Amino acid sequence: MAEIELNVINSQCLNRRIDDIRTIKRESFAWQKHRNNKGAKVNWQFTAADARIKLKRLYPSNED
């Protein structure tokens, strides 16, 4: 889920060159506050069990 949010913030907020860390922090905080207030949700395309099968190579289980 963190990977999804990082991709969204990259495309919606940090999609340009920003020269200083203060601006990045200020803008990303404002973006985060807006998303939280909006109640943004992830639209899962498949179940967790299906994801474990499909993405096994990327996310191996601890049981194997």
Side-chain angles (χ1 to χ4, degrees):
M1 193 132 116
E3 293 165 343
I4 294 169
E5 285 297 310
L6 287 172
N7 188 33
V8 173
I9 192 172
N10 189 44
S11 65
Q12 292 182 353
C13 178
L14 304 176
N15 57 353
R16 67 198 185 286
R17 179 162 176 77
I18 302 174
D19 289 330
D20 63 281
I21 193 70
R22 293 172 86 193
T23 302
I24 291 172
K25 286 180 180 178
R26 185 179 68 246
E27 291 192 19
S28 61
F29 178 75
W31 173 86
Q32 177 185 358
K33 186 175 176 183
H34 173 74
R35 291 236 338 144
N36 289 343
N37 289 339
K38 184 179 172 182
K41 295 182 172 70
V42 175
N43 180 17
W44 295 107
Q45 299 296 313
F46 42 83
T47 66
D50 290 340
R52 285 187 188 96
I53 294 166
K54 191 173 196 87
L55 304 173
K56 185 173 185 169
R57 176 179 59 86
L58 298 173
Y59 302 101
S61 95
N62 292 334
E63 298 167 6
D64 291 343

